[in-house]
RNA sequence: CGGGGUGUAGCGUAGCCCGGUUAUCGCGCCUCGUUUGGGACGAGGAGGUCGCAAGUUCGAAUCUUGCCACCCCGACCA
């Protein structure tokens, strides 16, 4: 019964697709590059949203909503920005359809051509900064701390469910500050929020760092990121936070009067995480039997499955099961009791395993007689029988243990797959074998970065924030280097 | 967007090279019965524009052309 319908991790791409589809997270839509997020997948995303949204609000941000459509002219105001996104923008040119001549369908009405074409947002910096101009006049209006949850569209050549789709869901924070230092502080603060979320809730350790100019967000002065390591040894950028300097303030003429009465451009940040995090969740923890969810993000961390013969027995079990459910819920644990008569216990076991439910409780006649219940944990697949009287505490502790265990396993994996390397041949070998991340010296030039990419397929994921300065030589050019950076193949 | 591959019932497939009754098998689905501690068993049943569109032909799942979608590998990107 192992690996039911799931390709093994040796074929990582196929394995990933199998899990996303079979665990009911998402499926492909009829529209190229888009996905349908199914209820179970969306429930996980809602959990992520709820946790992050709370953190955003705790750090002083407010939610707002800006339009999907952006006037084309806005995008041309910040040169680097348009450079970065022009190639992947969807454009709205008309506003009406009409019945075709032969009456069999609809066609675009040529008379309904827009005077100014509209862009479906690939990100909202431009429309937001155009709006901020009207919101900011004095230092008293600052800081402006805005977030929005929305969809964006980037016309991708090659898509993969969650990891890269043309339309995806995300949040984008946009802030304006009076001082450069405040904007920088904000940028770093939100990076910390993301890192904390990733490690405490997703149970994925991340490296916080700075992007090289090559990898920097179009229009940013600095891009910070968190990088996670997936089970196939590739790195995944899980969140970004940008210090925008005064670039957008200048492009959209957002000025404020200082206490001294001088007019100055505001300083800005923007930061975001997307449904890509769903992909990270799958690739970091899951196994050949399916999805493995950290309890903190599982739509229901506990499922109870009754095992019974006949309605009479079910009635008895129902009574006890509901009692257990209430006890667990009293501890703040969400529980699904699956007493559907349309599926057999064995089928349910397999299904919840595939869906990655952290803890499964099985309750049968034998348990009723012995005052026990069977507990199975998804991460290790261990089963034990527990006294029913103490089940709430047991499960509560177990969920915490699973959460910690997943993080520890992921951290161990990263420790074993992040090596300091000083020899380029060895570097190449590591990349060829897909052995993960490499910490190496780099001379700081884009040329070297590019050459290394060509020869190894690895890119600089980030310059870690906690790096200790040490003198060394660039792994490729042997030129002097002051610190190590993280290289890896990336998603 | 370039290279390779795939497309037959909800899913996985046989048939295609070499055109010819009613398109194969498994899973799933429906009904009835027996079952229920790791994807139950028996009997019966439903379900198909063979990805789409043209073409060749007496006749196309099968041959030709075009298109579409998906998967894998590149370039691009979060």
């Amino acid at each position: 019964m192992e690996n039911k319908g799931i390709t093994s991790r040796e074929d990582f791409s196929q394995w990933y697709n199998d899990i996303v589809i079979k665990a009911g997270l998402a499926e492909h839509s009829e529209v190229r590059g888009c996905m349908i997020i199914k209820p179970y997948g969306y429930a996980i995303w809602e959990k992520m949203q709820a946790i992050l949204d709370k953190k955003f609000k705790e750090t002083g941000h407010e939610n707002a909503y800006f339009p999907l459509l952006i006037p084309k002219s806005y995008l041309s105001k910040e040169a680097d920005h348009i450079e970065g996104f022009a190639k992947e923008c969807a454009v709205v040119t008309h506003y009406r359809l009409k019945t075709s001549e032969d009456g069999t369908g609809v066609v675009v009405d040529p008379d309904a051509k827009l005077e100014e074409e509209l862009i479906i947002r690939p990100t909202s910096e431009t429309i937001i900064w155009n709006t901020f101009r009207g919101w900011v006049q004095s230092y008293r209006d600052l800081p402006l701390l805005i977030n929005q949850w929305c969809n964006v569209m980037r016309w991708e050549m090659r898509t993969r469910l969650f990891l890269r789709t043309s339309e995806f869901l995300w949040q984008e924070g946009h802030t304006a500050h009076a001082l450069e230092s405040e904007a920088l502080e904000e940028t770093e603060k939100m990076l910390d929020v993301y890192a904390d979320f990733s490690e405490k809730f997703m149970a994925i350790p991340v490296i916080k760092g700075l992007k090289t100019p090559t990898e920097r967000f179009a229009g940013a002065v600095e891009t910070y990121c968190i990088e996670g390591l997936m089970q196939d040894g590739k790195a995944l950028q899980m969140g970004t936070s940008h210090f925008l300097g005064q670039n957008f303030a200048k492009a959209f003429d957002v000025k404020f009067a200082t206490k001294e009465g001088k007019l100055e451009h505001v300083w800005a940040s923007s930061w975001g995480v997307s449904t890509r995090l769903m992909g990270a969740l799958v690739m970091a923890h899951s196994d050949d039997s399916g999805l493995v969810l950290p309890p903190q993000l599982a739509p229901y961390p506990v499922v109870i499955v009754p095992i019974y013969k006949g309605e009479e027995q079910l009635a008895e079990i129902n009574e006890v099961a509901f009692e257990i459910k209430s006890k667990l819920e009293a501890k703040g644990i969400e529980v699904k009791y699956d007493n559907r008569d349309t599926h057999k216990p064995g089928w349910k076991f397999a299904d919840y395993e595939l869906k990655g439910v952290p803890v499964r409780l099985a309750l049968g006649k034998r348990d009723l007689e012995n005052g026990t219940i069977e507990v199975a944990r998804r991460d290790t697949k261990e089963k034990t029988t527990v006294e029913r009287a103490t089940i709430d505490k047991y499960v509560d502790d177990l969920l915490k243990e699973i959460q910690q265990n997943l993080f520890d396993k992921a951290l161990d994996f990263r420790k074993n797959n992040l090596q300091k390397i000083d020899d380029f041949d060895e570097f190449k070998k590591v990349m060829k074998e897909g052995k993960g991340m490499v910490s190496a010296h780099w001379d700081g030039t884009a040329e070297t970065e590019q050459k290394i990419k060509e020869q190894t397929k690895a890119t600089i994921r980030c310059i870690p924030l906690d790096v200790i300065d040490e003198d060394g030589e660039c792994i490729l050019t042997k030129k002097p280097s002051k610190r190590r950076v993280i290289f890896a193949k990336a998603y």
Side-chain angles (χ1 to χ4, degrees):
Chain A
M1 67 138 292
E2 287 289 307
N3 315 346
K4 196 88 180 185
I6 301 223
T7 310
S8 96
R9 268 172 292 185
E10 282 160 35
D11 185 352
F12 201 80
S13 295
Q14 194 56 50
W15 167 82
Y16 174 81
N17 287 331
D18 283 351
I19 291 193
V20 171
I21 302 285
K22 302 238 163 83
L25 303 181
E27 61 188 49
H28 290 281
S29 81
E30 291 301 302
V31 180
R32 182 198 196 100
C34 294
M35 66 176 161
I36 291 153
I37 304 176
K38 296 182 75 177
Y40 193 62
Y42 201 78
I44 297 169
W45 175 240
E46 283 182 314
K47 283 237 159 180
M48 292 181 174
Q49 280 186 301
I51 295 157
L52 286 166
D53 199 64
K54 185 158 170 272
K55 285 173 180 276
F56 297 157
K57 285 171 181 159
E58 282 167 1
T59 44
H61 303 84
E62 294 178 295
N63 284 334
Y65 185 79
F66 293 82
L68 171 73
L69 299 174
I70 299 175
K72 195 177 69 180
S73 59
Y74 286 19
L75 270 157
S76 52
K77 293 196 177 173
E78 214 287 334
D80 291 337
H81 191 63
I82 184 63
E83 179 83 12
F85 287 107
K87 295 183 297 297
E88 48 194 34
C89 286
V91 184
V92 178
T93 56
H94 292 74
Y95 59 85
R96 194 163 63 212
L97 298 173
K98 63 175 189 180
T99 308
S100 62
E101 297 285 316
D102 61 8
T104 57
V106 287
V107 293
V108 173
D109 186 343
D111 294 335
K113 194 163 169 25
L114 289 169
E115 244 173 69
E116 180 176 6
E117 287 153 346
L118 298 168
I119 311 301
I120 299 178
R121 63 182 163 217
T123 176
S124 301
E125 269 78 6
T126 58
I127 195 151
I128 285 178
W129 279 94
N130 194 62
T131 307
F132 277 6
R133 182 174 57 243
W135 291 5
V136 175
Q137 283 159 17
S138 141
Y139 71 91
R140 293 179 220 270
D141 299 321
L142 298 171
L144 196 48
L145 306 172
I146 301 295
N147 176 65
Q148 83 166 338
W149 290 95
C150 65
N151 57 344
V152 288
M153 174 159 273
R154 298 176 189 177
W155 211 265
E156 295 291 345
M157 293 303 170
R158 191 178 155 198
T159 60
R160 300 197 57 193
L161 292 171
F162 291 120
L163 295 174
R164 176 167 297 108
T165 46
S166 286
E167 181 192 17
F168 57 91
L169 306 184
W170 78 345
Q171 59 66 218
E172 45 180 326
H174 297 272
T175 68
H177 308 263
L179 299 174
E180 177 178 21
S181 59
E182 279 179 23
L184 257 170
E185 195 185 315
E186 166 79 7
T187 309
E188 286 169 10
K189 183 200 285 174
M190 298 322 285
L191 187 75
D192 287 341
V193 165
Y194 290 155
D196 185 68
F197 172 75
S198 177
E199 302 198 335
K200 302 263 172 58
F201 293 87
M202 298 183 70
I204 303 175
V206 291
I207 297 173
K208 290 190 282 187
L210 211 51
K211 285 292 186 193
T212 63
T214 317
E215 303 270 332
R216 194 180 282 157
F217 173 71
V221 174
E222 288 289 5
T223 288
Y224 293 73
C225 63
I226 51 170
E227 294 283 329
L229 182 61
M230 304 296 108
Q231 291 185 69
D232 62 347
K234 284 165 92 172
L236 181 75
Q237 179 173 305
M238 291 172 60
T240 50
S241 186
H242 315 288
F243 170 62
L244 302 174
Q246 293 174 309
N247 290 351
F248 284 92
K250 284 177 179 165
F252 288 90
D253 196 32
V254 183
K255 287 187 236 172
F256 71 103
T258 65
K259 276 184 190 173
E260 295 75 34
K262 286 199 300 189
L263 271 187
E264 285 179 15
H265 286 111
V266 301
W267 297 84
S269 84
S270 71
W271 28 274
V273 295
S274 72
T275 36
R276 175 177 247 205
L277 290 179
M278 297 285 297
L281 205 53
V282 172
M283 292 195 291
H285 302 308
S286 299
D287 61 24
D288 288 353
S289 307
L291 190 61
V292 176
L293 289 174
Q296 293 277 13
L297 292 177
Y300 36 92
V302 178
V303 64
I304 306 175
V305 176
I307 295 152
Y308 60 94
K309 238 179 240 189
E311 294 204 3
E312 241 172 80
Q313 239 181 55
L314 176 60
E316 282 176 55
I317 292 172
N318 274 344
E319 201 175 313
V320 177
F322 279 120
E323 189 188 308
I324 292 168
K325 186 168 186 271
S326 313
K327 273 171 80 178
L328 290 169
E329 282 167 351
K331 283 203 178 281
I333 301 165
E334 288 166 273
V335 181
K336 172 169 176 165
Y337 176 42
D338 184 358
N339 61 354
R340 286 177 298 172
D341 195 34
T342 49
H343 295 279
K344 315 233 323 174
W347 188 94
K348 293 175 185 174
F349 289 179
D351 192 49
Y352 290 119
E353 199 162 274
L354 194 51
K355 287 190 149 68
V357 178
V359 170
R360 185 188 70 233
L361 304 178
L363 190 62
K365 184 161 182 279
R366 222 155 59 204
D367 294 302
L368 290 193
E369 284 160 3
N370 301 336
T372 57
I373 187 160
E374 186 191 82
V375 180
R377 55 187 286 185
R378 177 64 181 88
D379 59 339
T380 61
K381 302 228 195 107
E382 287 163 345
K383 282 200 268 198
T384 41
T385 301
V386 175
E387 291 296 318
R388 217 155 62 216
T390 58
I391 188 64
D392 50 340
K393 179 169 188 330
Y394 185 89
V395 170
D396 195 27
D397 291 345
L398 181 58
L399 288 172
K400 291 189 176 92
E401 191 186 322
I402 292 172
Q403 183 78 29
Q404 188 62 44
N405 180 47
L406 287 178
F407 179 78
D408 291 346
K409 261 165 70 181
L411 186 59
D412 266 355
F413 179 80
R414 197 188 68 192
K415 279 182 185 159
N416 293 329
N417 291 280
L418 168 57
Q419 353 181 12
K420 277 190 188 178
I421 289 187
D422 296 310
D423 176 69
F424 193 55
D425 286 331
E426 205 185 329
F427 182 106
K428 280 200 275 196
K429 192 165 156 243
V430 168
M431 285 306 148
K432 204 171 171 193
E433 290 169 357
K435 289 262 178 68
M437 296 172 156
V438 162
S439 171
H441 280 283
W442 166 58
D443 64 17
T445 68
E447 294 74 41
T448 302
E449 193 178 2
Q450 179 63 25
K451 276 182 198 157
I452 291 175
K453 186 181 175 184
E454 280 161 16
Q455 292 183 47
T456 65
K457 305 228 170 88
T459 50
I460 299 178
R461 298 325 303 150
C462 68
I463 304 156
L465 294 186
D466 60 1
V467 74
I468 300 154
D469 284 358
E470 68 174 48
D471 287 321
E473 316 181 311
C474 173
I475 188 137
L476 184 72
T477 62
K478 305 293 174 206
K479 286 181 191 160
S481 156
K482 284 248 180 284
R483 62 191 64 84
R484 289 172 183 275
V485 299
I486 302 293
F487 287 90
K489 288 191 201 167
Y491 274 96

